[in-house]
């Protein structure tokens, strides 16, 4: 990923007139997708200029019309695809740029017996004389030998990883070709090179999140040690000797010399270990910490404001007397059978004073309410069992102070 980012970092590559709506823009080191308010031809031309100015060379075979544009570019062995098409919304275009890495598919070792049918810099099609199962087995054996590690097996395909490149191998029956098998091979650059332990199952990598999830038959402690060993061999250092346990999950944090971060999480599911590994850049970590600090400062300032604020006065319910009082709790007593009526009159008075009143439960003999005003929250409970005097309790929830007028 570091070498790919030097060729082009699509996380920072300029967007062309983007629609700034949440969830519309997706950007990583290896990919970029968004909606533009410019036409297909305009977007394609402006991106083409940007790429050429950055040292990328257009490859032959590109096509641009008013409805769509598909082009490929190459620089330092890396290949980009640019796809622009008319969006479903009027006067908008859908833009996608993808880095496919620097693997030369023409030089990629494949089992003898496969016949090449089609090839371009990012995808090749081959014909196999064997069944789908046998073809998959032979291809996997050759790739293992070439030090490609398994990295997931979505339905109908196999995925492998090497040096931050994901190789997708899709094997299928060829339609109307007498039982022949077709193999489609493609590559994509990963924005984060995240290793998984050998014999992992259910591997799922999402480049937008730069996260990989997987299951493993070994116990959680062993899986975490396997991950620790792999990451340490790649220059990552754990921030703690032992995992941090939060609820039923265990966590490990790793940092590298660039202050990037990897978060590891593992827990038990159905007798196996389920784990995830996620990468964050140093800038993302800094931004996340700044947001957390800002929120902590906001809460601290709010608590200080509430602590310094004078007690808020509340009226005494009609017909009641004060039994006990502190800065955060007041207890009233009154004649039996009178609490429900007194509470109705009291809350009507409070509403006129700007209090927000929420009735959580209200019966003749008991009830509970929540009062809110100026950041202060009060919990009110009344009990009126008839055979003893009724009581009303008002207590502060959180910070703040109250007193009776």
């Amino acid at each position: 990923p570091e070498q790919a980012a030097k060729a082009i970092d699509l996380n920072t590559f300029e967007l062309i007139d983007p629609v700034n709506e949440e969830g519309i823009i997706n950007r990583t080191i290896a990919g970029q997708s968004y909606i533009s308010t410019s036409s297909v031809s305009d977007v394609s031309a402006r991106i083409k200029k940007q790429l050429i100015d950055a040292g990328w060379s257009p490859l032959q075979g590109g096509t641009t019309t008013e409805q769509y544009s598909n082009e490929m570019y190459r620089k330092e062995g890396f290949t980009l695809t640019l796809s622009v098409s008319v969006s479903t919304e009027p006067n908008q275009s859908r833009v996608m740029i993808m880095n496919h890495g620097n693997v030369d598919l023409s030089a990629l070792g494949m089992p003898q017996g496969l016949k090449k049918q089609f090839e371009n810099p990012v995808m090749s099609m081959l014909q196999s004389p064997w069944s789908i199962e046998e073809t998959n087995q032979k291809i996997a054996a050759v790739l293992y030998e070439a030090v490609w590690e398994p990295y997931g097996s979505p339905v109908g395909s196999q995925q492998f990883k090497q040096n931050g490149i994901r190789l997708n191998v899709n094997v299928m029956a060829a339609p109307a070709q007498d039982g022949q098998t077709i193999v489609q091979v493609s590559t994509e650059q990963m924005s984060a090179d995240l290793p998984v332990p050998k014999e992992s199952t259910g591997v799922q990598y999402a480049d937008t999140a730069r996260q990989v999830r997987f299951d493993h038959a070994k116990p959680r402690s062993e899986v975490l040690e396997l991950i620790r060993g792999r990451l340490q061999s790649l220059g990552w250092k754990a921030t703690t000797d032992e995992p941090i346990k939060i609820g039923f999950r265990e966590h490990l944090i790793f940092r590298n010399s660039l202050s990037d971060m990897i978060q590891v999480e593992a827990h038990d599911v159905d007798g196996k270990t389920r784990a995830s590994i996620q990468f964050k850049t140093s800038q993302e970590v800094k931004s996340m910490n700044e947001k957390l600090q800002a929120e902590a400062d906001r809460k601290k300032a709010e608590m200080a404001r509430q602590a310094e604020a004078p007690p808020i006065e509340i009226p005494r319910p009609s017909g009641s007397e004060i039994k006990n009082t502190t800065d955060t709790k007041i207890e009233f007593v009154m004649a039996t059978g009178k609490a429900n009526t007194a509470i109705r009159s009291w809350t009507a008075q409070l509403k006129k004073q700007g209090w927000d009143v929420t009735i959580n439960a209200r019966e003749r003999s008991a009830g509970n309410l929540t009062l809110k005003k100026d950041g202060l929250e009060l919990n009110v409970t009344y009990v009126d069992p008839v055979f003893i005097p009724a009581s009303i309790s008002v207590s502060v929830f959180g910070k703040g102070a109250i007193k009776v007028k």
Side-chain angles (χ1 to χ4, degrees):
E2 293 80 9
Q3 188 179 358
K6 289 180 181 179
I8 186 169
D9 185 349
L10 292 171
N11 192 42
T12 58
F13 188 71
E14 183 182 353
L15 306 177
I16 304 297
D17 302 329
V19 174
N20 290 312
E21 294 180 18
E22 186 175 353
I24 294 295
I25 299 174
N26 292 304
R27 306 170 83 177
T28 65
I29 290 174
Q32 187 182 92
S33 64
Y34 61 98
I35 302 296
S36 171
T37 57
S38 292
S39 66
V40 169
S41 58
D42 184 42
V43 172
S44 299
R46 291 164 67 182
I47 293 177
K48 182 175 184 176
K49 184 180 185 307
Q50 287 179 339
L51 291 172
I52 291 175
D53 290 346
W56 289 83
S57 301
L59 300 181
Q60 293 183 349
T63 302
T64 299
T65 70
E66 291 184 359
Q67 299 297 313
Y68 67 91
S69 176
N70 292 308
E71 297 178 325
M72 288 187 287
Y73 296 82
R74 177 164 287 174
K75 176 185 177 181
E76 299 171 1
F78 288 89
T79 303
L80 282 183
T81 54
L82 167 63
S83 174
V84 186
S85 59
V86 174
S87 176
T88 54
E89 297 295 325
N91 303 316
Q92 293 184 355
S93 301
R94 187 175 298 275
V95 185
M96 180 178 292
I97 308 176
M98 184 174 179
N99 190 339
H100 293 266
N102 57 357
V103 172
D104 184 356
L105 288 178
S106 65
L108 183 69
M110 281 284 138
Q112 292 186 0
L114 296 183
K115 295 181 180 180
K116 192 172 296 182
Q117 291 189 322
F118 168 80
E119 185 175 84
N120 67 25
V122 299
M123 190 265 289
S124 64
M125 296 282 290
L126 307 102
Q127 189 176 60
S128 169
W130 311 298
S131 67
I132 292 176
E133 182 179 2
E134 189 175 2
T135 300
N136 273 317
Q137 291 174 349
K138 289 180 178 292
I139 291 174
V142 170
L143 292 175
Y144 293 161
E145 186 70 22
V147 202
W148 285 89
E149 61 178 294
Y151 210 67
S153 52
V155 177
S157 67
Q158 299 182 87
Q159 295 179 336
F160 303 85
K161 182 183 75 69
Q162 185 182 97
N163 298 328
I165 306 292
R166 186 165 61 166
L167 186 72
N168 302 299
V169 179
N170 192 5
V171 180
M172 67 200 92
Q177 292 192 29
D178 299 325
Q180 292 289 315
T181 301
I182 291 295
V183 180
Q184 178 178 306
V185 183
S186 61
T187 60
E188 57 183 292
Q189 176 67 49
M190 300 168 65
S191 296
D193 189 359
L194 302 176
V196 298
K198 291 182 179 179
E199 301 177 356
S200 296
T201 60
V203 180
Q204 296 180 339
Y205 173 77
D207 198 72
T208 52
R210 283 157 303 167
Q211 181 179 54
V212 62
R213 301 176 183 271
F214 59 91
D215 293 338
H216 206 287
K218 290 187 176 181
R220 178 171 47 182
S221 59
E222 293 185 31
V223 171
L224 287 172
E225 283 307 305
L226 288 172
I227 295 171
R228 184 196 294 268
R230 287 292 303 275
L231 290 175
Q232 286 179 341
S233 70
L234 296 172
W236 293 88
K237 185 177 180 180
T239 58
T240 58
D241 292 332
E242 298 296 329
I244 301 169
K245 191 166 185 179
I246 303 176
F248 61 92
R249 303 173 189 267
E250 289 189 339
H251 301 258
L252 283 171
I253 303 294
F254 294 81
R255 304 298 291 266
N256 65 7
S257 59
L258 300 176
S259 296
D260 298 327
M261 182 172 72
I262 282 181
Q263 298 172 295
V264 178
E265 180 271 316
H267 62 281
D268 300 330
V269 175
D270 299 330
K272 56 190 174 185
T273 299
R274 179 158 294 168
S276 69
I277 306 173
Q278 186 173 32
F279 170 86
K280 292 183 181 296
T281 66
S282 58
Q283 186 59 42
E284 289 172 325
V285 174
K286 180 181 178 182
S287 177
M288 178 178 67
N289 288 338
E290 287 175 349
K291 289 180 181 178
L292 291 173
Q293 186 61 51
E295 179 62 16
D297 291 343
R298 186 195 65 78
K299 289 183 178 179
K300 184 177 179 180
E302 178 64 19
M303 291 174 64
R305 185 191 67 79
Q306 292 179 353
E308 294 172 359
I312 292 182
E313 295 182 336
I314 61 172
R316 181 168 55 86
S318 178
S320 70
E321 296 180 358
I322 299 174
K323 180 180 179 182
N324 293 305
T325 179
T326 68
D327 286 343
T328 58
K329 186 174 183 179
I330 302 173
E331 293 182 79
F332 303 96
V333 293
M334 63 192 318
T336 185
K338 302 292 185 179
N340 192 7
T341 301
I343 284 289
R344 290 176 182 273
S345 174
W346 185 60
T347 53
Q349 183 181 0
L350 289 170
K351 285 181 179 180
K352 291 180 180 179
Q353 295 176 1
W355 287 87
D356 179 45
V357 179
T358 301
I359 299 173
N360 304 314
R362 182 158 67 188
E363 301 292 339
R364 190 206 63 79
S365 59
N368 178 263
L369 304 89
T370 300
L371 308 178
K372 294 181 180 180
K373 180 183 179 183
D374 298 333
L376 184 70
E377 183 172 338
L378 305 181
N379 182 64
V380 180
T381 301
Y382 68 89
V383 179
D384 192 353
V386 179
F387 53 87
I388 58 175
S391 66
I392 300 173
S393 174
V394 183
S395 57
V396 176
F397 183 81
K399 295 291 182 179
I402 52 176
K403 70 177 183 179
V404 181
K405 275 187 177 178

